[in-house]
Amino acid sequence: MYETILVTGATSGIGHALVHDLCGRGYRVYASGRNEAALTALMAATGCLGSTADLTDPQQALDLYQRARTALGHIDVLVNNAGANHRKAPIAETSLEEFELQYALNLRAPYLLGREALREMIPRGSGYLINVVSTCALRHPSPMGIYSAMKSGLASLSQVMMKEAQPHGIKVSTLYPGGVDTPFRAEAKPHYMQPASVAATLVTLLTLPADVVVHEMTFRPPAELE
């Protein structure tokens, strides 16, 4: 049913593993990230298409979607995976610049990409948006207040997208992964989920029957109880 997929945040962690998984299954993938060397290596290893983009720049986000659409012909699936928390700090110790950076990457960019995807998919009557949020949006950990707020905003936006898209035959899923052992973290967390495991979980959504829609999915490593 789905053939072409745009994946953001593809040069490390979950996105990197996801592109490997998808290409191994025969999907046509357009990958994006900010690390040009890592993206070039990913393209060589998997055969995916791709280009770099700084998603904190709204014009670059819009341009990315159009490049992907041109390269693939059309986009069946958008995976809004890119995101980051640049440091942990109590709210009183954060700056406006940090707030705006978190907003630009974790909320504005997936909004823009999701909006463009809906504009393409609604007239066609098919498509799939997968928004990777975080259990931070459910737990609201205090040292990650800005990140949690932006991810909570993305979760809310994703639910609105679902309600607007589903009557047009478009699926929208909001994912809440727990701890993942990725370069996102300052130190290794081997008791957390591996990126390949998260990727495999995400890919199962694309293989579900047409009459099944997963609105929300929370999944964690066995070491996490909440």
Side-chain angles (χ1 to χ4, degrees), residues 57-79:
D57 180 339
Q59 190 59 53
Q60 288 195 45
L62 294 171
D63 290 346
L64 168 64
Y65 191 89
Q66 293 308 315
R67 287 197 303 273
R69 184 179 183 182
T70 298
L72 295 173
H74 68 280
I75 296 173
D76 291 324
V77 182
L78 166 64
V79 182

Side-chain angles (χ1 to χ4, degrees), residues 15 126 142 154 176:
S126 66
S142 59
L154 176 56
Y176 300 92

Side-chain angles (χ1 to χ4, degrees), residues 48 50 52 56 62 64 70 73 75 82 94 103 111 116 141 146 148 157 182 187 207-208 212 214 222 224:
C48 73
T52 57
T56 64
L62 294 171
L64 168 64
T70 298
I75 296 173
T94 60
Y103 161 72
Y111 153 72
E116 296 305 295
I146 296 176
S148 298
L157 179 66
T182 74
E187 58 184 37
T207 65
L208 294 175
V212 175
V214 175
E224 286 186 347

